[in-house]
PDB file of all heavy atoms in Angstrom:
ATOM      1  N   LEU A 215     -12.822   6.046  10.714  1.00 97.00           N
ATOM      2  CA  LEU A 215     -12.992   7.268  11.509  1.00 97.00           C
ATOM      3  C   LEU A 215     -12.887   8.518  10.664  1.00 97.00           C
ATOM      4  O   LEU A 215     -13.688   9.428  10.754  1.00 97.00           O
ATOM      5  CB  LEU A 215     -11.890   7.258  12.618  1.00 97.00           C
ATOM      6  CG  LEU A 215     -11.987   8.354  13.700  1.00 97.00           C
ATOM      7  CD1 LEU A 215     -11.373   7.857  14.985  1.00 97.00           C
ATOM      8  CD2 LEU A 215     -11.249   9.641  13.254  1.00 97.00           C
ATOM      9  N   LEU A 216     -11.845   8.558   9.761  1.00 96.00           N
ATOM     10  CA  LEU A 216     -11.648   9.739   8.940  1.00 96.00           C
ATOM     11  C   LEU A 216     -12.794   9.982   7.953  1.00 96.00           C
ATOM     12  O   LEU A 216     -13.182  11.089   7.706  1.00 96.00           O
ATOM     13  CB  LEU A 216     -10.306   9.561   8.130  1.00 96.00           C
ATOM     14  CG  LEU A 216      -9.046   9.754   9.033  1.00 96.00           C
ATOM     15  CD1 LEU A 216      -7.835   9.358   8.215  1.00 96.00           C
ATOM     16  CD2 LEU A 216      -8.934  11.153   9.567  1.00 96.00           C
ATOM     17  N   GLU A 217     -13.330   8.930   7.385  1.00 96.00           N
ATOM     18  CA  GLU A 217     -14.290   9.012   6.342  1.00 96.00           C
ATOM     19  C   GLU A 217     -15.709   9.261   6.871  1.00 96.00           C
ATOM     20  O   GLU A 217     -16.535   9.934   6.244  1.00 96.00           O
ATOM     21  CB  GLU A 217     -14.274   7.818   5.398  1.00 96.00           C
ATOM     22  CG  GLU A 217     -12.978   7.792   4.607  1.00 96.00           C
ATOM     23  CD  GLU A 217     -13.038   6.788   3.450  1.00 96.00           C
ATOM     24  OE1 GLU A 217     -14.033   6.099   3.256  1.00 96.00           O
ATOM     25  OE2 GLU A 217     -12.006   6.673   2.726  1.00 96.00           O
ATOM     26  N   THR A 218     -16.014   8.704   8.062  1.00 97.00           N
ATOM     27  CA  THR A 218     -17.346   8.866   8.621  1.00 97.00           C
ATOM     28  C   THR A 218     -17.429  10.195   9.492  1.00 97.00           C
ATOM     29  O   THR A 218     -18.516  10.718   9.690  1.00 97.00           O
ATOM     30  CB  THR A 218     -17.817   7.718   9.470  1.00 97.00           C
ATOM     31  OG1 THR A 218     -16.928   7.629  10.628  1.00 97.00           O
ATOM     32  CG2 THR A 218     -17.714   6.411   8.728  1.00 97.00           C
ATOM     33  N   GLY A 219     -16.325  10.577  10.052  1.00 97.00           N
ATOM     34  CA  GLY A 219     -16.319  11.739  10.924  1.00 97.00           C
ATOM     35  C   GLY A 219     -16.948  11.396  12.295  1.00 97.00           C
ATOM     36  O   GLY A 219     -17.162  12.299  13.088  1.00 97.00           O
ATOM     37  N   MET A 220     -17.187  10.137  12.566  1.00 98.00           N
ATOM     38  CA  MET A 220     -17.745   9.729  13.837  1.00 98.00           C
ATOM     39  C   MET A 220     -16.758   9.777  14.949  1.00 98.00           C
ATOM     40  O   MET A 220     -15.538   9.679  14.712  1.00 98.00           O
ATOM     41  CB  MET A 220     -18.327   8.329  13.708  1.00 98.00           C
ATOM     42  CG  MET A 220     -19.559   8.218  12.728  1.00 98.00           C
ATOM     43  SD  MET A 220     -20.090   6.539  12.420  1.00 98.00           S
ATOM     44  CE  MET A 220     -20.699   6.095  14.075  1.00 98.00           C
ATOM     45  N   HIS A 221     -17.197   9.979  16.132  1.00 98.00           N
ATOM     46  CA  HIS A 221     -16.339  10.020  17.333  1.00 98.00           C
ATOM     47  C   HIS A 221     -15.736   8.596  17.519  1.00 98.00           C
ATOM     48  O   HIS A 221     -16.471   7.573  17.370  1.00 98.00           O
ATOM     49  CB  HIS A 221     -17.170  10.404  18.589  1.00 98.00           C
ATOM     50  CG  HIS A 221     -16.315  10.702  19.769  1.00 98.00           C
ATOM     51  ND1 HIS A 221     -15.743   9.663  20.549  1.00 98.00           N
ATOM     52  CD2 HIS A 221     -15.934  11.863  20.339  1.00 98.00           C
ATOM     53  CE1 HIS A 221     -15.035  10.262  21.540  1.00 98.00           C
ATOM     54  NE2 HIS A 221     -15.164  11.550  21.434  1.00 98.00           N
ATOM     55  N   PRO A 222     -14.465   8.490  17.862  1.00 97.00           N
ATOM     56  CA  PRO A 222     -13.839   7.174  18.087  1.00 97.00           C
ATOM     57  C   PRO A 222     -14.551   6.382  19.130  1.00 97.00           C
ATOM     58  O   PRO A 222     -14.621   5.145  19.047  1.00 97.00           O
ATOM     59  CB  PRO A 222     -12.368   7.466  18.411  1.00 97.00           C
ATOM     60  CG  PRO A 222     -12.382   8.928  18.738  1.00 97.00           C
ATOM     61  CD  PRO A 222     -13.452   9.574  18.010  1.00 97.00           C
ATOM     62  N   GLY A 223     -15.057   7.043  20.166  1.00 97.00           N
ATOM     63  CA  GLY A 223     -15.770   6.325  21.202  1.00 97.00           C
ATOM     64  C   GLY A 223     -17.082   5.640  20.656  1.00 97.00           C
ATOM     65  O   GLY A 223     -17.395   4.511  21.062  1.00 97.00           O
ATOM     66  N   THR A 224     -17.756   6.370  19.790  1.00 98.00           N
ATOM     67  CA  THR A 224     -18.952   5.795  19.162  1.00 98.00           C
ATOM     68  C   THR A 224     -18.646   4.597  18.286  1.00 98.00           C
ATOM     69  O   THR A 224     -19.330   3.558  18.317  1.00 98.00           O
ATOM     70  CB  THR A 224     -19.645   6.901  18.263  1.00 98.00           C
ATOM     71  OG1 THR A 224     -19.968   8.026  19.133  1.00 98.00           O
ATOM     72  CG2 THR A 224     -20.921   6.364  17.636  1.00 98.00           C
TER      73      THR A 224
END
Side-chain angles (χ1 to χ4, degrees):
L215 188 150
L216 288 170
E217 293 191 0
T218 65
M220 294 172 68
H221 190 283
T224 301

